[in-house]
Amino acid sequence: MTTPAHRPTHHESSFQLSRQRPQPSGGSFALARKARNVLQRVPVWTWRVLMHSVKASENSRFNVDPITGVEYFHDIDFVGDGIRAHRLDVIVPHGPGGTTAAGVGSPGALPVYVYFHGGGWTSGDKASLTKYCASQAEGGMVVVNVNYRKAPRFQMAHVLADANAALAWVRKNIAGYGGDGSRIVLGGDSAGGQIAALLTAASFRPELARHHGLTPAVPASDFKGLVQHCSVVDFSVFFEKGFVLSLNFVRMLLPGLRPGGRNRGIGGGMRGGFGSRFASSGPGRLEALRKGAGFLSPIEWLDSRFPPVFVTTSERDFFYAANLNFIARLRAHSVPVDSLIYDWDNSNTEHTWQQNFRYPESQEVYRRLHAFVRKVA
């Protein structure tokens, strides 16, 4: 059994951050904070309403005072179909004299940090993560900020296909922005962290890739690290009594029967498989759902080939237990793990606090992330 952390931790050692005066908290989870003790099994539609209500304010609040020491390339269509879900941004640090840090084929090419936003798979947009990503570019990396199609209209196989297409674009084009496509670190917060972790696992677990109908665009050897901010890395927590989110969050990510009997699943192993059982009633439906959730849960696909991981979470995070489970499983497989875990006393560290640059806890995440990328990539 994993015991709660009571201070930020670094590998197996611990250190105490200087106590900062708590700052006012805001963002996507303000309502959840007020109702934390009564929130159980929040339905998907409630989540979507909540996220939609805060989207505009997050975009402006998280991006005030833009970072000027980087160059921005916005809304690159990485698929070619013109939809916003298939757009990405590239953010490049300035070199000496204000020039781009490195050119095409330059021996000084930088590691590449590819980031997927969160939002419960149903909402969110790369725009609100612009300053977060620029903050990482300042640390000496080329950052790629990615959009993707969302549930409930699309399932996990579609989301992974989009993430994989973004990586194919990176592999083909990132040298033109000063990045080294053979030194990639994937990252994400919440649902975005799950996408990054599952895509990493699919790169060296062919049975997982086949299940989602995926041909990995990047070889596993090019993934040098993985960054996880309050990520959904262990789906077993969804099945625990009283968990904050309903099981429909799991169901919507799996292929099922649509009105008129149409199945939107695109994954090879998933097509026409578990979906009908999720949509039906019967004594085996919960077990079938657990089985399907296993193909969504990164923790189920770990082994010693996984790249080093940097995990940030807190006791205030809805997925705190999932992250502790993930860390323990990584260490059991001898995968190097760097972790930054805050206790309940750090009032700024609600779920995905890392997006808000104002918090000293976020700035500590950025410093540690820069050091992690320098070490692994």
Side-chain angles (χ1 to χ4, degrees):
M1 179 177 179
T2 306
T3 57
H6 294 290
R7 55 182 64 86
T9 57
H10 176 68
H11 293 282
E12 297 295 338
S13 62
S14 301
F15 65 92
Q16 182 68 49
L17 289 178
S18 59
R19 289 292 180 183
Q20 304 284 347
R21 180 174 297 175
Q23 300 186 18
S25 295
S28 304
F29 301 93
L31 296 178
R33 292 184 194 104
K34 296 176 182 178
R36 178 181 290 274
N37 292 332
V38 297
L39 278 178
Q40 292 184 5
R41 298 300 182 193
V42 173
V44 173
W45 73 265
T46 303
W47 175 272
R48 295 180 72 189
V49 170
L50 171 63
M51 296 301 290
H52 180 76
S53 69
V54 301
K55 178 179 177 181
S57 63
E58 279 193 345
N59 287 351
S60 59
R61 187 172 64 256
F62 292 164
N63 291 315
V64 296
D65 300 325
I67 292 173
T68 58
V70 298
E71 189 169 0
Y72 299 87
F73 302 88
H74 288 294
D75 290 329
I76 298 168
D77 189 340
F78 62 87
V79 170
D81 57 7
I83 67 172
R84 181 160 182 80
H86 290 152
R87 301 293 177 90
L88 59 77
D89 301 336
V90 178
I91 305 176
V92 183
H94 285 162
T99 60
T100 300
V104 177
S106 167
L110 299 172
V112 181
Y113 182 42
V114 181
Y115 197 80
F116 302 97
H117 68 79
W121 304 281
T122 67
S123 13
D125 188 89
K126 63 183 177 61
S128 63
L129 275 299
T130 298
K131 187 162 184 176
Y132 165 87
C133 288
S135 297
Q136 311 326 314
E138 277 193 315
M141 61 194 86
V142 174
V143 181
V144 181
N145 187 14
V146 183
N147 269 350
Y148 50 86
R149 289 173 293 177
K150 302 180 185 71
R153 184 180 179 190
F154 298 99
Q155 288 88 47
M156 182 51 60
H158 301 96
V159 175
L160 290 177
D162 291 350
N164 195 51
L167 288 179
W169 184 94
V170 167
R171 187 170 176 80
K172 181 178 180 180
N173 298 284
I174 204 64
Y177 298 86
D180 182 348
S182 67
R183 292 189 292 148
I184 295 174
V185 175
L186 295 186
D189 60 90
S190 195
Q194 181 262 352
I195 295 165
L198 203 62
L199 198 61
T200 301
S203 71
F204 59 81
R205 298 297 295 266
E207 63 272 40
L208 177 62
R210 284 195 301 269
H211 184 84
H212 291 289
L214 201 68
T215 301
V218 173
S221 59
D222 288 353
F223 291 131
K224 305 304 182 184
L226 176 68
V227 174
Q228 298 284 279
H229 297 323
C230 302
S231 295
V232 193
V233 283
D234 180 5
F235 273 66
S236 70
V237 298
F238 281 93
F239 296 87
E240 294 175 358
K241 184 178 180 180
F243 186 65
V244 65
L245 301 178
S246 78
L247 284 172
N248 281 336
F249 280 84
V250 181
R251 292 185 181 96
M252 74 178 181
L253 296 174
L254 298 166
L257 296 178
R258 296 285 170 175
R262 185 178 178 184
N263 192 328
R264 294 182 60 89
I266 64 173
M270 297 173 72
R271 190 191 307 271
F274 302 127
S276 59
R277 278 179 282 170
F278 298 149
S280 66
S281 60
R285 63 179 180 176
L286 185 60
E287 189 57 36
L289 189 61
R290 287 182 185 275
K291 187 175 181 180
F295 287 93
L296 306 175
S297 189
I299 197 172
E300 303 298 337
W301 299 93
L302 303 180
D303 64 25
S304 61
R305 293 172 294 176
F306 223 73
V309 183
F310 176 44
V311 179
T312 68
T313 187
S314 85
E315 288 183 317
R316 290 174 175 263
D317 177 18
F318 302 128
F319 292 99
Y320 173 68
N323 281 255
L324 292 188
N325 294 343
F326 191 63
I327 291 169
R329 191 76 61 86
L330 286 165
R331 287 176 173 160
H333 287 291
S334 300
V335 176
V337 184
D338 187 5
S339 60
L340 182 59
I341 304 172
Y342 287 93
D343 63 22
W344 189 269
D345 292 340
N346 292 88
S347 61
N348 295 330
T349 60
E350 299 286 350
H351 184 66
T352 67
W353 86 85
Q354 302 90 341
Q355 299 175 6
N356 195 330
F357 68 94
R358 293 179 178 85
Y359 298 149
E361 294 88 351
S362 297
Q363 292 299 322
E364 179 65 14
V365 168
Y366 302 170
R367 287 189 290 270
R368 293 280 293 276
L369 194 157
H370 298 167
F372 174 78
V373 172
R374 285 194 298 270
K375 180 179 179 180
V376 303

